[in-house]
Amino acid sequence: MPSLRTALLQSSGRPGAVAENLKVLDEAAARAAAAGAGLLVSPELFLTGYAIGDAVPVLAEPADGPGSEAVAEIAVRHGLAVLYGYPERDGQRIFNASQLIGPDGTRLANYRKTHLFGCFEQEWFTPGEQTVVQADLDGLRIGLLICYDVEFPENVRAHALAGTDLLLVPTAQMHPFQFVAESVVPVRAFESQMYVAYVNRTGPEGEFEFVGLSCLAGPDGTVRTRAGRGEELVLGEVDPEFLAASRAANPYLHDRRPGLYGSLA
């Protein structure tokens, strides 16, 4: 099975300007496709911006809203899958969500962040209730989490047990928590034997300072590609053969003893 070249778009776009952010996404998709990527991953709430306060309910839209239609057009135009973050409206509730659109424009998976970080998110969003959301792409099982979710090992292990090969984690990681990008994410990839694409915002936005450092971590715990602190598009390979060999050599999932862990829940 061939590798899936994955592009990580490290950018904060223009907070509050959906049309401008779609333009940034379109340009990144063109560059990623030209470099042979089959998947483009953008950061948390990329469609609208993160620190937009009162604009959250104004810009929130359904999973099949105009934002998803615009992203589907981008995916089809450039022939690659696109993962984007956005505020999802469902009736009176708003979720911090991400959606995976296939290269044919099909909506493959929609995930609602289950662990909300800080007062800002808890004020505007309802926590999701489904831990494992997956889709199949180019022979790989793709899983979705968002930012703070990956810092709970239970979430990543649930994906491992459900067969996730590549975990996509759009994020808004801020100062002073850069150790998550530097250390936690590679460890999550190793301990649960999967690839993890962690894709961050960058620079100042409202009261926050996003640290960048987006990365693709492999199942051996090594970082295959790493962005710096500024706007950047980086690419890395998700290799199914290497993943299978790593899982055979590191039998964490096989050697687990679930009967001993009941008290943890």
Side-chain angles (χ1 to χ4, degrees), residues 184-196:
V184 174
V185 169
V187 169
R188 289 285 177 272
F190 179 66
E191 68 190 5
S192 282
Q193 287 298 294
M194 63 178 66
Y195 284 89
V196 179

Side-chain angles (χ1 to χ4, degrees), residues 184-245:
V184 174
V185 169
V187 169
R188 289 285 177 272
F190 179 66
E191 68 190 5
S192 282
Q193 287 298 294
M194 63 178 66
Y195 284 89
V196 179
Y198 186 80
V199 187
N200 200 10
R201 306 178 70 82
T202 182
E205 188 177 332
E207 63 185 286
F208 308 111
E209 177 74 29
F210 299 114
V211 301
L213 300 175
S214 300
C215 67
L216 175 66
D220 57 351
T222 64
V223 172
R224 303 312 173 84
T225 188
R226 166 84 72 188
R229 297 298 186 106
E231 302 270 337
E232 196 169 351
L233 182 73
V234 297
L235 294 99
E237 302 289 339
V238 176
D239 183 347
E241 292 186 4
F242 182 84
L243 178 59

Side-chain angles (χ1 to χ4, degrees), residues 55-209:
V56 169
V58 177
L59 296 178
E61 63 175 61
D64 60 353
S68 72
E69 294 176 358
V71 175
E73 291 176 2
I74 291 171
V76 171
R77 180 160 53 249
H78 300 293
L80 80 174
V82 179
L83 185 284
Y84 72 101
Y86 74 108
E88 178 195 355
R89 178 175 292 283
D90 185 355
Q92 296 302 309
R93 300 179 300 170
I94 300 174
F95 298 92
N96 184 337
S98 65
Q99 185 154 222
L100 179 64
I101 306 293
D104 62 353
T106 302
R107 295 170 49 235
L108 298 179
N110 189 74
Y111 172 75
R112 297 167 171 177
K113 189 174 186 178
T114 55
H115 294 72
L116 301 179
F117 179 80
C119 297
F120 171 77
E121 291 189 14
Q122 293 170 13
E123 176 181 1
W124 292 109
F125 299 108
T126 298
E129 295 296 332
Q130 187 174 357
T131 301
V132 177
V133 173
Q134 299 170 308
D136 292 323
L137 179 68
D138 290 353
L140 292 168
R141 181 64 53 87
I142 309 295
L144 309 181
L145 291 177
I146 298 175
C147 196
Y148 194 40
D149 291 329
V150 81
E151 297 177 38
F152 294 82
E154 299 90 344
N155 286 337
V156 184
R157 181 52 56 85
H159 269 276
L161 296 176
T164 292
D165 300 313
L166 168 60
L167 185 63
L168 307 183
V169 189
T171 189
Q173 184 62 64
M174 57 199 69
H175 179 80
F177 305 111
Q178 51 265 31
F179 65 88
V180 174
E182 294 170 338
S183 301
V184 174
V185 169
V187 169
R188 289 285 177 272
F190 179 66
E191 68 190 5
S192 282
Q193 287 298 294
M194 63 178 66
Y195 284 89
V196 179
Y198 186 80
V199 187
N200 200 10
R201 306 178 70 82
T202 182
E205 188 177 332
E207 63 185 286
F208 308 111
E209 177 74 29

